[in-house]
């Protein structure tokens, strides 16, 4: 059962049309297309169609997402590992499918993707990537205890932890919305 109301571009005007254009013409639409943003009939895919329900809120949310993905300091592998941990925790099929493709392009191997999806141990050579993975796994299960903080900061700095918590919160929000709207 779907709870989604598909907003078709021809039916949009005002703030909804402006938001649609911001999503389809902004940074998500630049570079290689590793997953589709719109269906064949122009309806936004994944979480983005529901952003149009409340354009002011949807625009703020899409700008946070664009900042996390395109203006953050996390490396591509680390960022995609974190997103995929959230996708696995929330069992979010769209996030998993979309970001496995992005993760592969960022250099994640099939074995690494499988370990992240399964929540299995993953031996990473890069200390910052290992810290991102450990910290994200802690974040999705509740809190960051003192031992995890001490193991992760450094190699991560406080600014990166702020970015990572924002990323985790954003993708958890999307996963929740997609679950509620049966996307």
């Amino acid at each position: 059962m779907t709870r989604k109301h598909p907003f078709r571009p021809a039916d949009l005007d005002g703030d909804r049309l402006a938001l649609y254009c911001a999503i389809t013409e902004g940074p998500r639409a630049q570079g290689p297309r590793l997953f589709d943003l719109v269906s064949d009939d122009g309806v936004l895919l994944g979480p983005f169609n529901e952003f149009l329900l409340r354009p002011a809120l949807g625009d703020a949310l899409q700008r946070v997402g664009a900042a996390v993905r395109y203006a953050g300091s996390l490396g591509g592998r680390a960022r995609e590992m974190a997103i995929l941990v959230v996708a696995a925790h929330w069992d979010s099929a769209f996030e998993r499918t979309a970001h496995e493709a992005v993760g592969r392009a960022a250099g994640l191997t099939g074995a690494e993707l499988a370990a992240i999806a399964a929540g299995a141990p993953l031996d990473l050579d890069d200390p910052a990537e290992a810290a991102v993975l450990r910290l994200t796994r802690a974040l999705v299960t509740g809190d960051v205890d003192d031992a995890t903080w001490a193991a992760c900061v450094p190699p991560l700095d406080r600014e990166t932890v702020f970015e990572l918590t924002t990323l985790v919160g954003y993708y958890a929000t999307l996963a929740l919305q997609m679950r509620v709207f049966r996307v």
Side-chain angles (χ1 to χ4, degrees):
M1 173 178 146
T2 185
R3 298 173 184 176
K4 178 178 179 175
H5 168 81
F7 288 98
R8 289 179 173 63
D11 300 329
L12 300 175
D13 59 12
D15 291 343
R16 284 190 172 134
L17 180 58
L19 176 55
Y20 180 93
C21 291
I23 293 168
T24 59
E25 299 170 9
R28 289 175 184 85
Q30 309 306 313
R33 295 274 177 120
L34 300 172
F35 61 91
D36 292 329
L37 282 174
V38 296
S39 67
D40 290 340
D41 60 350
V43 174
L44 292 167
L45 298 174
F48 302 111
N49 182 76
E50 275 57 45
F51 285 19
L52 298 173
L53 290 168
R54 290 278 187 246
L57 185 56
D59 185 52
L61 194 54
Q62 76 85 19
R63 284 185 286 118
V64 168
V68 165
R69 276 200 64 207
Y70 305 107
S73 65
L74 287 171
R77 283 176 46 91
R79 181 188 63 249
E80 296 307 316
M81 283 191 293
I83 294 168
L84 289 167
V85 167
V86 175
H89 178 77
W90 280 89
D91 193 24
S92 179
F94 179 85
E95 284 179 349
R96 184 173 42 255
T97 300
H99 288 280
E100 281 183 352
V102 178
R104 278 188 203 89
L108 292 173
T109 67
E112 289 170 328
L113 292 169
I116 293 165
L122 186 55
D123 187 26
L124 297 165
D125 293 331
D126 183 311
E129 287 181 359
V132 164
L133 183 62
R134 181 174 178 176
L135 195 57
T136 304
R137 285 178 169 168
L139 288 167
V140 299
T141 58
D143 191 17
V144 176
D145 60 26
D146 290 341
T148 301
W149 179 269
C152 295
V153 182
L156 304 177
D157 57 26
R158 293 169 55 84
E159 292 83 359
T160 302
V161 173
F162 173 78
E163 180 179 337
L164 183 61
T165 59
T166 303
L167 178 149
V168 170
Y170 171 75
Y171 282 96
T173 297
L174 298 187
L176 175 62
Q177 289 174 341
M178 287 187 284
R179 179 172 286 173
V180 168
F181 287 98
R182 304 294 194 257
V183 175

